Amino acid sequence: MEVLQLPHGRLTHYGRAAGVGKPALVICPGGGYEFCSIREGAPVARAFARDGIECFVLEYDCAPAPLGTMPVRTAAAAVAWVRENAARFGIDANRIAIGGFSAGGHLAGTLAAVWHRADWFEPGTDLQMHRPNAAVLCYPVVSAGEHAHRGSFVQLAGADRDRQQAFSLENLVDGNTPPVFLWHTLDDDEVPVENTLLIEQALRKAGVPHEVHLFPHGIHGLSLADYETYEPNRGRLPDRHVNRWQALCAEWLKYLK
């Protein structure tokens, strides 16, 4: 296990996948931009590594708030480092995805949407180095509007609703956004499924290839929905059907052009 200290986070490599010319996935755990959930980090990375995806978990700083563009700059640095070191890990440098859960999904989606916009990054940044080739958004926080997970946007932009709108993903997606894999549950009452529906509509309008899976049942924060990531005291139970998202996603990443 290799750990890289970033200016505002830590990137951990979990388990080497078999083969060369592999895709890679940088995983951003959720936590409302207040913490990084361990259930949405290492267990997920190990599952994807078993399926031939080289995996890294990004623990990004969640203080001081408001965070502004600090998280997306940290995610950009993580993707750039993986690309710089792709040969060492047997990774295809043109098959690097960023993914995340809940607020981590918002972070992954933000980098996917704004990677080409120099105003989001430090002057002189090589934008191509941190360009994700795909994004995986799991029950993502998306919209600062009616269906917002308000706490996430307060952490990012403070209480001002106009400032929060600058981080609303459905307004940031354009034709430069890479292909996206999305999944959500219809029962999610913490981050409503409308978040995924809004970004799916934006992706379709922009002509961005994407795959969407909507599961009928399951509360927020299921992670892998297996016995390693379940939390019975919070109603997060194993679910074979929902658990299929991970195998579907691994297949999507491996065959994505």
Side-chain angles (χ1 to χ4, degrees):
M1 188 167 66
E2 183 172 347
V3 180
L4 173 70
Q5 294 296 331
L6 298 169
H8 297 288
R10 181 173 67 175
L11 185 68
T12 304
H13 174 228
Y14 280 93
R16 186 146 191 168
V20 295
K22 298 166 286 189
L25 177 61
V26 176
I27 300 166
C28 305
Y33 282 115
E34 295 182 350
F35 66 97
C36 291
S37 168
I38 60 173
R39 296 174 50 260
E40 295 167 341
V44 179
R46 289 192 291 265
F48 275 98
R50 288 192 293 269
D51 282 338
I53 314 294
E54 202 75 6
C55 274
F56 304 81
V57 174
L58 176 63
E59 297 170 80
Y60 48 94
D61 289 353
C62 294
L67 301 170
T69 60
M70 184 176 75
V72 73
R73 293 183 183 196
T74 303
V79 171
W81 185 87
V82 173
R83 181 161 280 119
E84 289 167 3
N85 291 273
R88 182 156 67 89
F89 294 105
I91 293 167
D92 182 339
N94 295 311
R95 299 173 71 197
I96 299 172
I98 187 160
F101 297 81
S102 193
H106 179 272
L107 175 53
T110 302
L111 182 59
V114 307
W115 67 267
H116 60 293
R117 291 178 49 176
D119 55 311
W120 282 69
F121 305 99
E122 296 288 345
T125 298
D126 183 346
L127 303 180
Q128 290 294 328
M129 284 301 295
H130 67 225
R131 177 178 62 90
N133 301 106
V136 175
L137 311 185
C138 310
Y139 43 86
V141 170
V142 169
S143 179
E146 176 186 356
H147 303 288
H149 182 262
R150 192 61 60 192
S152 293
F153 289 99
V154 170
Q155 280 292 106
L156 279 173
D160 186 283
R161 295 289 180 95
D162 290 335
R163 291 181 181 176
Q164 292 175 17
Q165 284 295 332
F167 294 91
S168 204
L169 291 185
E170 74 272 31
N171 301 326
L172 295 174
V173 164
D174 65 17
N176 293 290
T177 303
V180 179
F181 181 98
L182 292 148
W183 75 272
H184 217 123
T185 61
L186 299 181
D187 285 348
D188 193 329
D189 61 0
E190 188 171 338
V191 177
V193 71
E194 281 80 2
N195 282 266
T196 284
L197 298 178
L198 283 166
I199 195 170
E200 189 280 329
Q201 183 179 38
L203 292 166
R204 191 155 26 99
K205 184 177 180 180
V208 176
H210 57 286
E211 179 168 326
V212 187
H213 296 273
L214 300 178
F215 297 96
H217 301 297
I219 67 170
H220 187 73
L222 288 177
S223 185
L224 293 173
D226 64 1
Y227 280 101
E228 185 176 7
T229 59
Y230 83 133
E231 282 187 306
N233 59 317
R234 301 188 66 179
R236 292 167 175 161
L237 303 177
D239 186 314
R240 281 187 184 179
H241 186 54
V242 176
N243 173 257
R244 282 286 298 155
W245 79 262
Q246 187 274 323
L248 290 166
C249 184
E251 182 179 62
W252 182 81
L253 286 169
K254 284 190 283 189
Y255 293 103
L256 187 66
K257 301 297 184 183

